[in-house]
Amino acid sequence: MSVDLNAGDAPPSSILIERVWPEIDCGRYPVKREVGDLLTVSADIFREGHDHIAAVLRYRRWQDTAWREAEMRFVDNDRWEGAFLLAENTRYTYTIDAFPDVFGTWRDEVAKKHEAGLDVASELLEGRSIVREVLARCDEADRVLIERYLQTHAEASSQVVSVRVLLDDDLLAAVNRNRSRVGASTYQRTLEVIADRERARFAAWYSMFPRSAGTDPIKSATFDDAIAQLPRIAGMGFDVLYFTPIHPIGVTDRKGPNNTLVAGPEDPGVPYAIGSAVGGHDAIEPGLGTLEDFRRLVRAANDIGLDVALDLAINASPDHPWVKDHPEWFYKRPDGTIKFAENPPKKYQDIYPINFQNDHWQELWQELKRIVMFWIEQGVFTFRVDNPHTKPTVFWEWLIREVHLTHPQVIFLSEAFTRPKVMRSLAKAGFAQSYTYFTWRNFKRELTEYLTELTTSEMKEYFRGNFFANTHDILPYILQEGGRAAFQFRAVLAATLSSVYGLYSGFEVCENTPVPGREEYLNSEKYQYKVWDWDRPGNIADYITQLNAIRRDHPALQEYENLRFFGAGDDNVICYGKMTLDRSDIIVVAVNLDPFQPHETSMTLPIDTFGIGEGDQYRADELLSGETYLWTGAVQHVRLDPHVNPAAIYSLRSWTYQEYAEPCF
Amino acid sequence: MSVDLNAGDAPPSSILIERVWPEIDCGRYPVKREVGDLLTVSADIFREGHDHIAAVLRYRRWQDTAWREAEMRFVDNDRWEGAFLLAENTRYTYTIDAFPDVFGTWRDEVAKKHEAGLDVASELLEGRSIVREVLARCDEADRVLIERYLQTHAEASSQVVSVRVLLDDDLLAAVNRNRSRVGASTYQRTLEVIADRERARFAAWYSMFPRSAGTDPIKSATFDDAIAQLPRIAGMGFDVLYFTPIHPIGVTDRKGPNNTLVAGPEDPGVPYAIGSAVGGHDAIEPGLGTLEDFRRLVRAANDIGLDVALDLAINASPDHPWVKDHPEWFYKRPDGTIKFAENPPKKYQDIYPINFQNDHWQELWQELKRIVMFWIEQGVFTFRVDNPHTKPTVFWEWLIREVHLTHPQVIFLSEAFTRPKVMRSLAKAGFAQSYTYFTWRNFKRELTEYLTELTTSEMKEYFRGNFFANTHDILPYILQEGGRAAFQFRAVLAATLSSVYGLYSGFEVCENTPVPGREEYLNSEKYQYKVWDWDRPGNIADYITQLNAIRRDHPALQEYENLRFFGAGDDNVICYGKMTLDRSDIIVVAVNLDPFQPHETSMTLPIDTFGIGEGDQYRADELLSGETYLWTGAVQHVRLDPHVNPAAIYSLRSWTYQEYAEPCF
């Protein structure tokens, strides 16, 4: 905490480096960006008195030892800023060095004195000495350059000339390239940034049970049936295809349709009750096909631009090979039997929870890592992790780091619907994406508050919310009650509020039959095979296709933290927008949150922020209807009818940026 | 950053401890409180899943090795809180431990199952085993108690009884007293709190030049003359008497009256040009008296309740003994001569600045510490440090820690008027009090903004603003222009906005003749002797006396961070208040910031916060005038005339708390 006078001969640096940003929990956790981003780092950097200082941002790939440097610049009020390019999909380490700018201090002093007409003979001697000191660190070119300046300076015919030589900008540049670091202060922590691949931030997920990809309601569909679905899914514009677990399902205490306690002989069981005589987490449920079939599916998906995401559900059925091979990994009763899962008084006899802190925890953790690495070898680089909040956060932190050491492209999505701080801790530990409360945020104030927190608080540095409008576990009341219009506007909200969102299959045909009184699907695919009619009347597949196309066409919608809310007169209408930094893409969205009645209202747009003057005309292309409007001023009118246009997505272009040939009027 | 699987046999704790508060700059700097305070510490503490956890706040005096513990309690949303008493004037170290609450988890599970009518025979075996495990750590009394419970449990006639025995609260208490810490997580940092003595927070300072305490304008007053002033100063209610430097003043390049470059033979010089043939920082200017005289002065001051504060100005005149004995401590020119102070093109030939990072810095730092310790031995426990921002912050951090090791009662006041982050860094480094921008904040918005920052931001944890209405260096324009009314209301603002404030002598007689166009005193005591007429017509000594008495009578005014601003209709009138936590003392202040014209306006008081109902009558005693008002409701009227009553200080009491005998109507 303080200086030790016996610690060494050099005096402690008196430069302070404070409030470095971004920095999460005092550097305990990394921040997140994507490949190609500039990471801007700022800090308060200052020292006593008025001497000049300089600062550099030091950075390196996390597995390198050599540091690179980027110069930091003074911004204002002792705040400094620097940036470096995240050129690769890896993690980077960064910190800050600051040191006295001896030559800068000298230049400032001598210039002021010289200007005031004072004799600076003594100061010029000091200046020569500062410049000379630099020579030892110079390359040949700088050495020659600097020596030429010193020579010219020595031969100067007057003090005026002599001052001018030492204050020359080219000399300054050469000195700064080789300047002394004596008196340097290094920030006390090294920080980390994960540079994920772009799909960590920008992707549309489609979630499905592969066993329901077929046409026979009493038989498992196969991976080949799933392959047949790929064009339809890719055609709607999705980027990631996520499968519920594909592993062998336990037989003991298998659940029947609608979660009944006793399964019939033909009932397939819950895919989350993983493990049977056929194998565990590295095996495939025989009804789906073989490992080779799966690899073919992954290749076929990749070929049309789809990533395949697997479910990582660390559950074991009583029939999992671990139960026999590693009983020490489970919780035991006093009589030595293994405990099944419970939420007293509820019992889940078909699931054995894992004890992550058993005496042989290292073997367990290594086995779990082995399983992830196994699927990576099959071409899977995305994992949706089931209930990560019931396993230690430190385990996830360890696992994700281990995987990223060799496979930085792997993306983990945290399926944690739990308390806010637990959800945040998983994101901080390394999950690239997280499920969110969006699924239950329906109205204007709650959406605005939640999204403002996600995209403007510290969370934006590490938590990327993947907005699922439904999941196989959750059929929200808004979809049960609101019908087709609700499906449409919830899709618009998910796809435009966040840059990464997801739908669970059936959404496109507006499936919304619940278990009465609950937010769950009746006859859920979790417990039975299902056959889907994708052309069902009233389906919104075209609408979703259009939405995904709009997202791909508009870079503004591909960013996460650029969301801003705008005023709208009616509480049922929410209005917001996204803009690229260079203002080349400006999107404004208006959504009628009432699925029953039309609403019309005014929107107040920040046209000044958009670079549009108060009296300027600008063009608004409504992308869902194809209508184009010519607008002037901040306040615009919108009418949204749930049965016609529950939402509007405008692309704005300042008229002054238009080419004359544009056929808009 | 992450788990090492080879690090040991025990699995890592899965409990996370985050966002600990108070914690400044990730624990780099201590927070500040005063003796007798409870330090409340809170943190986010949680783990995966639903098992119960427990947490303790660990603390110790900084020089101890043994920790004490205070139980933390769950507040809400994974936030926990604990507190410990700062019983002594010293520094304390604190951190947090959290661990699985195995018995609590078990009790919860078994209670739920038992309630649901399930058989809990197996769970009871687990419970016995948890209770038994505790026995190894018990003292005799707890061992006997717990064994009696186990015996009763074993002999229970039914499961119902047997459950009831193990769920008994007395057993729980005994188990918790001796509970296992297996799986504990310790917060990764230890934090520090300085428990200062009360005068660090609550004090009124009076600043003077001891050489001006006499009656002869061409001769130095002595310490005995200063002793003669003590009753007057203590009589006005001041707590700390601060002297500008009392050390021998240099002769070389001595400044004359009004900072003229050449001093006459009788001119005393600037007390900040320290050091002459007579001695340096541990010597006394002969004109003032002897060391023995000074000690008598300190004793006399202490006897009437005044602390004596010395000025610690680390400057040397060219005649300072250091110049001969330690030329290596100074900055040198290329020709080997010592540099005087400069602010180009200005020159200060009478001052040699010190190089804190010279090659013999350890000897310099030790000498500076020796000087502080020398004055401590003379009974001085308060130091006003001159221009600390031109010396390294790390030096102050080291010095203050060194002094506090043996003399925790020492209070350092930072006289830094500089950039905000530099001022904050000095406070963080250990200065108990700091000068502030208050001296230049005159109007409602700027006062409100600045005080809100000081008393509600993180700064309140470490920065105690000592509000000086004037100093010997600063005669603010408001006092120059505003005359007597301004002196009155600036004194009220200083004395009631902050719990610690100060005045420089002459304020009580409204001295406000400036060097034309500057915020400096004409004929400043810095350069010459001065004789004061303390009974000068128009003096406000009685007003200041009244103010200090009000501060002593009202505990609400003795707290620092309890300031709140209230609405007032007129921009010239500022209204604010302070309240003790128990609401037993409620102060409301209204100040007319216009020194020229009367203003009347409404004040909107937060009577709900005061514990006063909307329709309730309450008593408002205006303490400066002695008038009493009976008020009802939040909105009250005030008229403030700069020539009659520039400010009002109300003490509010809810009528319902009055005894019937109160003679208020």
Side-chain angles (χ1 to χ4, degrees), chain A residues 9 26 44 49 77-78 113 126 339 342 361 389 421, chain B residues 9 26 44 49 77 113 126 339 342 361 389 419 421:
Chain A
D9 286 329
C26 301
D44 291 343
N77 189 17
D78 291 315
K113 287 183 175 173
E126 288 178 324
K339 290 187 178 183
E342 293 183 270
W361 62 280
H389 56 292
K421 289 168 188 174
Chain B
D9 285 329
C26 301
D44 291 344
N77 189 17
K113 287 183 175 171
E126 289 178 324
K339 289 186 178 183
E342 291 183 90
W361 61 280
H389 57 292
R419 311 190 308 281
K421 290 168 189 174

PDB file of all heavy atoms in Angstrom, chain A residues 9 26 44 49 77-78 113 126 339 342 361 389 421, chain B residues 9 26 44 49 77 113 126 339 342 361 389 419 421:
ATOM      1  N   ASP A   9      17.014   1.552  -4.473  1.00  0.00           N
ATOM      2  CA  ASP A   9      17.647   2.858  -4.578  1.00  0.00           C
ATOM      3  C   ASP A   9      16.809   3.874  -5.330  1.00  0.00           C
ATOM      4  O   ASP A   9      16.866   5.063  -5.049  1.00  0.00           O
ATOM      5  CB  ASP A   9      19.011   2.717  -5.255  1.00  0.00           C
ATOM      6  CG  ASP A   9      20.014   2.103  -4.293  1.00  0.00           C
ATOM      7  OD1 ASP A   9      19.868   2.340  -3.068  1.00  0.00           O
ATOM      8  OD2 ASP A   9      20.907   1.405  -4.736  1.00  0.00           O
ATOM      9  N   CYS A  26     -12.274  -4.496 -10.685  1.00  0.00           N
ATOM     10  CA  CYS A  26     -10.832  -4.325 -10.432  1.00  0.00           C
ATOM     11  C   CYS A  26      -9.988  -5.292 -11.264  1.00  0.00           C
ATOM     12  O   CYS A  26      -8.948  -5.772 -10.794  1.00  0.00           O
ATOM     13  CB  CYS A  26     -10.533  -4.492  -8.944  1.00  0.00           C
ATOM     14  SG  CYS A  26     -11.425  -3.309  -7.915  1.00  0.00           S
ATOM     15  N   ASP A  44      -7.328   8.217 -15.580  1.00  0.00           N
ATOM     16  CA  ASP A  44      -6.820   9.453 -14.985  1.00  0.00           C
ATOM     17  C   ASP A  44      -5.327   9.250 -14.763  1.00  0.00           C
ATOM     18  O   ASP A  44      -4.923   8.308 -14.075  1.00  0.00           O
ATOM     19  CB  ASP A  44      -7.472   9.714 -13.624  1.00  0.00           C
ATOM     20  CG  ASP A  44      -8.945  10.062 -13.743  1.00  0.00           C
ATOM     21  OD1 ASP A  44      -9.376  10.421 -14.855  1.00  0.00           O
ATOM     22  OD2 ASP A  44      -9.657   9.993 -12.734  1.00  0.00           O
ATOM     23  N   GLY A  49       2.709  18.906  -9.213  1.00  0.00           N
ATOM     24  CA  GLY A  49       3.355  20.002  -9.926  1.00  0.00           C
ATOM     25  C   GLY A  49       2.897  20.135 -11.361  1.00  0.00           C
ATOM     26  O   GLY A  49       1.782  19.751 -11.723  1.00  0.00           O
ATOM     27  N   ASN A  77      -8.950  17.380 -18.201  1.00  0.00           N
ATOM     28  CA  ASN A  77      -9.149  17.154 -16.772  1.00  0.00           C
ATOM     29  C   ASN A  77      -8.406  15.902 -16.287  1.00  0.00           C
ATOM     30  O   ASN A  77      -8.971  15.040 -15.612  1.00  0.00           O
ATOM     31  CB  ASN A  77     -10.661  17.033 -16.493  1.00  0.00           C
ATOM     32  CG  ASN A  77     -10.984  17.021 -15.009  1.00  0.00           C
ATOM     33  OD1 ASN A  77     -10.161  17.395 -14.174  1.00  0.00           O
ATOM     34  ND2 ASN A  77     -12.171  16.552 -14.684  1.00  0.00           N
ATOM     35  N   ASP A  78      -7.117  15.801 -16.666  1.00  0.00           N
ATOM     36  CA  ASP A  78      -6.245  14.692 -16.270  1.00  0.00           C
ATOM     37  C   ASP A  78      -6.684  13.329 -16.815  1.00  0.00           C
ATOM     38  O   ASP A  78      -6.214  12.288 -16.350  1.00  0.00           O
ATOM     39  CB  ASP A  78      -6.088  14.618 -14.740  1.00  0.00           C
ATOM     40  CG  ASP A  78      -5.293  15.801 -14.196  1.00  0.00           C
ATOM     41  OD1 ASP A  78      -4.254  16.124 -14.791  1.00  0.00           O
ATOM     42  OD2 ASP A  78      -5.710  16.399 -13.189  1.00  0.00           O
ATOM     43  N   LYS A 113      10.455  31.109 -21.397  1.00  0.00           N
ATOM     44  CA  LYS A 113      11.517  32.040 -20.994  1.00  0.00           C
ATOM     45  C   LYS A 113      12.064  32.808 -22.197  1.00  0.00           C
ATOM     46  O   LYS A 113      12.307  34.006 -22.123  1.00  0.00           O
ATOM     47  CB  LYS A 113      12.655  31.268 -20.313  1.00  0.00           C
ATOM     48  CG  LYS A 113      12.293  30.781 -18.922  1.00  0.00           C
ATOM     49  CD  LYS A 113      13.481  30.088 -18.265  1.00  0.00           C
ATOM     50  CE  LYS A 113      13.164  29.719 -16.825  1.00  0.00           C
ATOM     51  NZ  LYS A 113      14.252  28.901 -16.239  1.00  0.00           N
ATOM     52  N   GLU A 126      21.016  22.257 -20.553  1.00  0.00           N
ATOM     53  CA  GLU A 126      20.147  21.165 -20.088  1.00  0.00           C
ATOM     54  C   GLU A 126      19.495  20.452 -21.267  1.00  0.00           C
ATOM     55  O   GLU A 126      19.395  19.226 -21.290  1.00  0.00           O
ATOM     56  CB  GLU A 126      19.050  21.712 -19.169  1.00  0.00           C
ATOM     57  CG  GLU A 126      19.547  22.147 -17.812  1.00  0.00           C
ATOM     58  CD  GLU A 126      18.443  22.742 -16.933  1.00  0.00           C
ATOM     59  OE1 GLU A 126      17.554  23.431 -17.478  1.00  0.00           O
ATOM     60  OE2 GLU A 126      18.488  22.520 -15.725  1.00  0.00           O
ATOM     61  N   LYS A 339     -28.101 -39.456  -4.686  1.00  0.00           N
ATOM     62  CA  LYS A 339     -29.284 -38.587  -4.573  1.00  0.00           C
ATOM     63  C   LYS A 339     -29.749 -38.136  -5.954  1.00  0.00           C
ATOM     64  O   LYS A 339     -28.925 -37.762  -6.784  1.00  0.00           O
ATOM     65  CB  LYS A 339     -28.944 -37.346  -3.757  1.00  0.00           C
ATOM     66  CG  LYS A 339     -28.708 -37.575  -2.293  1.00  0.00           C
ATOM     67  CD  LYS A 339     -28.546 -36.217  -1.598  1.00  0.00           C
ATOM     68  CE  LYS A 339     -28.348 -36.417  -0.105  1.00  0.00           C
ATOM     69  NZ  LYS A 339     -28.254 -35.127   0.603  1.00  0.00           N
ATOM     70  N   GLU A 342     -33.743 -32.598  -6.425  1.00  0.00           N
ATOM     71  CA  GLU A 342     -34.942 -32.252  -5.658  1.00  0.00           C
ATOM     72  C   GLU A 342     -35.067 -30.741  -5.574  1.00  0.00           C
ATOM     73  O   GLU A 342     -34.074 -30.025  -5.607  1.00  0.00           O
ATOM     74  CB  GLU A 342     -34.848 -32.784  -4.219  1.00  0.00           C
ATOM     75  CG  GLU A 342     -34.869 -34.278  -4.098  1.00  0.00           C
ATOM     76  CD  GLU A 342     -34.835 -34.683  -2.619  1.00  0.00           C
ATOM     77  OE1 GLU A 342     -33.723 -34.851  -2.086  1.00  0.00           O
ATOM     78  OE2 GLU A 342     -35.913 -34.821  -2.030  1.00  0.00           O
ATOM     79  N   TRP A 361     -12.746 -33.711  -7.846  1.00  0.00           N
ATOM     80  CA  TRP A 361     -13.280 -32.647  -8.710  1.00  0.00           C
ATOM     81  C   TRP A 361     -12.413 -32.416  -9.933  1.00  0.00           C
ATOM     82  O   TRP A 361     -12.926 -32.123 -11.015  1.00  0.00           O
ATOM     83  CB  TRP A 361     -13.472 -31.375  -7.901  1.00  0.00           C
ATOM     84  CG  TRP A 361     -12.207 -30.812  -7.306  1.00  0.00           C
ATOM     85  CD1 TRP A 361     -11.594 -31.245  -6.169  1.00  0.00           C
ATOM     86  CD2 TRP A 361     -11.402 -29.761  -7.829  1.00  0.00           C
ATOM     87  NE1 TRP A 361     -10.452 -30.519  -5.942  1.00  0.00           N
ATOM     88  CE2 TRP A 361     -10.305 -29.589  -6.931  1.00  0.00           C
ATOM     89  CE3 TRP A 361     -11.484 -28.934  -8.947  1.00  0.00           C
ATOM     90  CZ2 TRP A 361      -9.309 -28.637  -7.156  1.00  0.00           C
ATOM     91  CZ3 TRP A 361     -10.502 -27.973  -9.161  1.00  0.00           C
ATOM     92  CH2 TRP A 361      -9.414 -27.837  -8.267  1.00  0.00           C
ATOM     93  N   HIS A 389     -26.202 -21.619 -13.878  1.00  0.00           N
ATOM     94  CA  HIS A 389     -26.232 -21.012 -12.538  1.00  0.00           C
ATOM     95  C   HIS A 389     -26.406 -22.029 -11.428  1.00  0.00           C
ATOM     96  O   HIS A 389     -26.450 -21.666 -10.260  1.00  0.00           O
ATOM     97  CB  HIS A 389     -27.349 -19.977 -12.458  1.00  0.00           C
ATOM     98  CG  HIS A 389     -28.698 -20.524 -12.814  1.00  0.00           C
ATOM     99  ND1 HIS A 389     -29.034 -20.919 -14.089  1.00  0.00           N
ATOM    100  CD2 HIS A 389     -29.806 -20.738 -12.057  1.00  0.00           C
ATOM    101  CE1 HIS A 389     -30.278 -21.353 -14.103  1.00  0.00           C
ATOM    102  NE2 HIS A 389     -30.763 -21.260 -12.884  1.00  0.00           N
ATOM    103  N   LYS A 421     -27.569 -10.715 -10.211  1.00  0.00           N
ATOM    104  CA  LYS A 421     -26.125 -10.733  -9.961  1.00  0.00           C
ATOM    105  C   LYS A 421     -25.502 -12.064 -10.357  1.00  0.00           C
ATOM    106  O   LYS A 421     -24.340 -12.122 -10.759  1.00  0.00           O
ATOM    107  CB  LYS A 421     -25.840 -10.365  -8.508  1.00  0.00           C
ATOM    108  CG  LYS A 421     -26.129  -8.899  -8.263  1.00  0.00           C
ATOM    109  CD  LYS A 421     -26.165  -8.498  -6.814  1.00  0.00           C
ATOM    110  CE  LYS A 421     -26.669  -7.065  -6.704  1.00  0.00           C
ATOM    111  NZ  LYS A 421     -26.871  -6.658  -5.303  1.00  0.00           N
TER     112      LYS A 421
ATOM    113  N   ASP B   9      -5.490 -29.921  -3.356  1.00  0.00           N
ATOM    114  CA  ASP B   9      -6.522 -30.935  -3.342  1.00  0.00           C
ATOM    115  C   ASP B   9      -7.924 -30.374  -3.141  1.00  0.00           C
ATOM    116  O   ASP B   9      -8.886 -30.929  -3.646  1.00  0.00           O
ATOM    117  CB  ASP B   9      -6.220 -31.961  -2.256  1.00  0.00           C
ATOM    118  CG  ASP B   9      -5.082 -32.867  -2.705  1.00  0.00           C
ATOM    119  OD1 ASP B   9      -4.959 -33.096  -3.930  1.00  0.00           O
ATOM    120  OD2 ASP B   9      -4.339 -33.333  -1.850  1.00  0.00           O
ATOM    121  N   CYS B  26     -10.238   0.125  -5.658  1.00  0.00           N
ATOM    122  CA  CYS B  26      -9.908  -1.295  -5.474  1.00  0.00           C
ATOM    123  C   CYS B  26      -9.056  -1.528  -4.229  1.00  0.00           C
ATOM    124  O   CYS B  26      -8.161  -2.382  -4.227  1.00  0.00           O
ATOM    125  CB  CYS B  26      -9.211  -1.841  -6.714  1.00  0.00           C
ATOM    126  SG  CYS B  26     -10.213  -1.698  -8.203  1.00  0.00           S
ATOM    127  N   ASP B  44     -21.926  -7.809  -2.457  1.00  0.00           N
ATOM    128  CA  ASP B  44     -22.708  -8.846  -3.126  1.00  0.00           C
ATOM    129  C   ASP B  44     -22.043 -10.175  -2.801  1.00  0.00           C
ATOM    130  O   ASP B  44     -20.855 -10.359  -3.094  1.00  0.00           O
ATOM    131  CB  ASP B  44     -22.687  -8.655  -4.645  1.00  0.00           C
ATOM    132  CG  ASP B  44     -23.453  -7.417  -5.079  1.00  0.00           C
ATOM    133  OD1 ASP B  44     -24.236  -6.890  -4.268  1.00  0.00           O
ATOM    134  OD2 ASP B  44     -23.269  -6.991  -6.232  1.00  0.00           O
ATOM    135  N   GLY B  49     -26.771 -22.172  -7.477  1.00  0.00           N
ATOM    136  CA  GLY B  49     -27.797 -22.984  -6.855  1.00  0.00           C
ATOM    137  C   GLY B  49     -28.505 -22.302  -5.702  1.00  0.00           C
ATOM    138  O   GLY B  49     -28.581 -21.074  -5.645  1.00  0.00           O
ATOM    139  N   ASN B  77     -31.512  -9.045  -2.611  1.00  0.00           N
ATOM    140  CA  ASN B  77     -30.904  -9.106  -3.941  1.00  0.00           C
ATOM    141  C   ASN B  77     -29.405  -9.447  -3.877  1.00  0.00           C
ATOM    142  O   ASN B  77     -28.578  -8.798  -4.507  1.00  0.00           O
ATOM    143  CB  ASN B  77     -31.130  -7.747  -4.649  1.00  0.00           C
ATOM    144  CG  ASN B  77     -30.734  -7.779  -6.105  1.00  0.00           C
ATOM    145  OD1 ASN B  77     -30.578  -8.841  -6.711  1.00  0.00           O
ATOM    146  ND2 ASN B  77     -30.531  -6.603  -6.681  1.00  0.00           N
ATOM    147  N   LYS B 113     -39.502 -30.822   3.576  1.00  0.00           N
ATOM    148  CA  LYS B 113     -39.917 -32.202   3.339  1.00  0.00           C
ATOM    149  C   LYS B 113     -40.838 -32.693   4.449  1.00  0.00           C
ATOM    150  O   LYS B 113     -41.844 -33.356   4.206  1.00  0.00           O
ATOM    151  CB  LYS B 113     -38.690 -33.120   3.245  1.00  0.00           C
ATOM    152  CG  LYS B 113     -37.914 -32.941   1.948  1.00  0.00           C
ATOM    153  CD  LYS B 113     -36.757 -33.919   1.886  1.00  0.00           C
ATOM    154  CE  LYS B 113     -36.041 -33.831   0.541  1.00  0.00           C
ATOM    155  NZ  LYS B 113     -34.792 -34.623   0.522  1.00  0.00           N
ATOM    156  N   GLU B 126     -28.252 -37.364   8.138  1.00  0.00           N
ATOM    157  CA  GLU B 126     -27.354 -36.293   7.676  1.00  0.00           C
ATOM    158  C   GLU B 126     -27.257 -35.176   8.701  1.00  0.00           C
ATOM    159  O   GLU B 126     -26.180 -34.652   8.973  1.00  0.00           O
ATOM    160  CB  GLU B 126     -27.862 -35.710   6.350  1.00  0.00           C
ATOM    161  CG  GLU B 126     -27.695 -36.639   5.176  1.00  0.00           C
ATOM    162  CD  GLU B 126     -28.255 -36.050   3.872  1.00  0.00           C
ATOM    163  OE1 GLU B 126     -29.292 -35.350   3.927  1.00  0.00           O
ATOM    164  OE2 GLU B 126     -27.669 -36.300   2.823  1.00  0.00           O
ATOM    165  N   LYS B 339      18.858  25.759  -8.215  1.00  0.00           N
ATOM    166  CA  LYS B 339      17.775  26.487  -8.886  1.00  0.00           C
ATOM    167  C   LYS B 339      16.799  27.049  -7.868  1.00  0.00           C
ATOM    168  O   LYS B 339      16.416  26.357  -6.925  1.00  0.00           O
ATOM    169  CB  LYS B 339      17.000  25.549  -9.814  1.00  0.00           C
ATOM    170  CG  LYS B 339      17.744  25.109 -11.048  1.00  0.00           C
ATOM    171  CD  LYS B 339      16.790  24.296 -11.935  1.00  0.00           C
ATOM    172  CE  LYS B 339      17.469  23.874 -13.218  1.00  0.00           C
ATOM    173  NZ  LYS B 339      16.549  23.153 -14.117  1.00  0.00           N
ATOM    174  N   GLU B 342      10.508  28.774  -9.963  1.00  0.00           N
ATOM    175  CA  GLU B 342      10.092  29.565 -11.112  1.00  0.00           C
ATOM    176  C   GLU B 342       8.709  29.117 -11.574  1.00  0.00           C
ATOM    177  O   GLU B 342       8.336  27.966 -11.407  1.00  0.00           O
ATOM    178  CB  GLU B 342      11.054  29.346 -12.297  1.00  0.00           C
ATOM    179  CG  GLU B 342      12.439  29.909 -12.099  1.00  0.00           C
ATOM    180  CD  GLU B 342      13.295  29.704 -13.348  1.00  0.00           C
ATOM    181  OE1 GLU B 342      13.278  30.592 -14.214  1.00  0.00           O
ATOM    182  OE2 GLU B 342      13.946  28.651 -13.454  1.00  0.00           O
ATOM    183  N   TRP B 361      16.970  10.457  -1.768  1.00  0.00           N
ATOM    184  CA  TRP B 361      15.592  10.758  -1.381  1.00  0.00           C
ATOM    185  C   TRP B 361      15.216  10.164  -0.027  1.00  0.00           C
ATOM    186  O   TRP B 361      14.462  10.768   0.730  1.00  0.00           O
ATOM    187  CB  TRP B 361      14.622  10.295  -2.474  1.00  0.00           C
ATOM    188  CG  TRP B 361      14.655   8.825  -2.759  1.00  0.00           C
ATOM    189  CD1 TRP B 361      15.562   8.163  -3.524  1.00  0.00           C
ATOM    190  CD2 TRP B 361      13.759   7.828  -2.260  1.00  0.00           C
ATOM    191  NE1 TRP B 361      15.287   6.818  -3.549  1.00  0.00           N
ATOM    192  CE2 TRP B 361      14.181   6.580  -2.784  1.00  0.00           C
ATOM    193  CE3 TRP B 361      12.624   7.867  -1.433  1.00  0.00           C
ATOM    194  CZ2 TRP B 361      13.524   5.381  -2.491  1.00  0.00           C
ATOM    195  CZ3 TRP B 361      11.964   6.677  -1.157  1.00  0.00           C
ATOM    196  CH2 TRP B 361      12.416   5.447  -1.684  1.00  0.00           C
ATOM    197  N   HIS B 389       0.317  19.607  -3.274  1.00  0.00           N
ATOM    198  CA  HIS B 389       0.184  19.133  -4.653  1.00  0.00           C
ATOM    199  C   HIS B 389       1.413  19.406  -5.498  1.00  0.00           C
ATOM    200  O   HIS B 389       1.446  19.057  -6.665  1.00  0.00           O
ATOM    201  CB  HIS B 389      -1.045  19.751  -5.308  1.00  0.00           C
ATOM    202  CG  HIS B 389      -1.038  21.252  -5.292  1.00  0.00           C
ATOM    203  ND1 HIS B 389      -1.155  21.978  -4.127  1.00  0.00           N
ATOM    204  CD2 HIS B 389      -0.933  22.166  -6.279  1.00  0.00           C
ATOM    205  CE1 HIS B 389      -1.121  23.270  -4.404  1.00  0.00           C
ATOM    206  NE2 HIS B 389      -0.976  23.409  -5.707  1.00  0.00           N
ATOM    207  N   ARG B 419      -6.196  21.063  -9.494  1.00  0.00           N
ATOM    208  CA  ARG B 419      -7.134  20.296 -10.305  1.00  0.00           C
ATOM    209  C   ARG B 419      -7.849  19.254  -9.438  1.00  0.00           C
ATOM    210  O   ARG B 419      -7.261  18.698  -8.511  1.00  0.00           O
ATOM    211  CB  ARG B 419      -6.397  19.636 -11.464  1.00  0.00           C
ATOM    212  CG  ARG B 419      -5.506  20.622 -12.209  1.00  0.00           C
ATOM    213  CD  ARG B 419      -4.935  20.071 -13.506  1.00  0.00           C
ATOM    214  NE  ARG B 419      -4.262  18.806 -13.405  1.00  0.00           N
ATOM    215  CZ  ARG B 419      -3.016  18.636 -12.959  1.00  0.00           C
ATOM    216  NH1 ARG B 419      -2.310  19.666 -12.510  1.00  0.00           N
ATOM    217  NH2 ARG B 419      -2.473  17.446 -12.944  1.00  0.00           N
ATOM    218  N   LYS B 421      -8.741  16.112  -9.572  1.00  0.00           N
ATOM    219  CA  LYS B 421      -8.250  14.754  -9.329  1.00  0.00           C
ATOM    220  C   LYS B 421      -6.996  14.754  -8.467  1.00  0.00           C
ATOM    221  O   LYS B 421      -6.760  13.814  -7.714  1.00  0.00           O
ATOM    222  CB  LYS B 421      -8.031  14.038 -10.659  1.00  0.00           C
ATOM    223  CG  LYS B 421      -9.373  13.726 -11.322  1.00  0.00           C
ATOM    224  CD  LYS B 421      -9.268  13.280 -12.748  1.00  0.00           C
ATOM    225  CE  LYS B 421     -10.673  13.221 -13.357  1.00  0.00           C
ATOM    226  NZ  LYS B 421     -10.645  12.922 -14.796  1.00  0.00           N
TER     227      LYS B 421
END
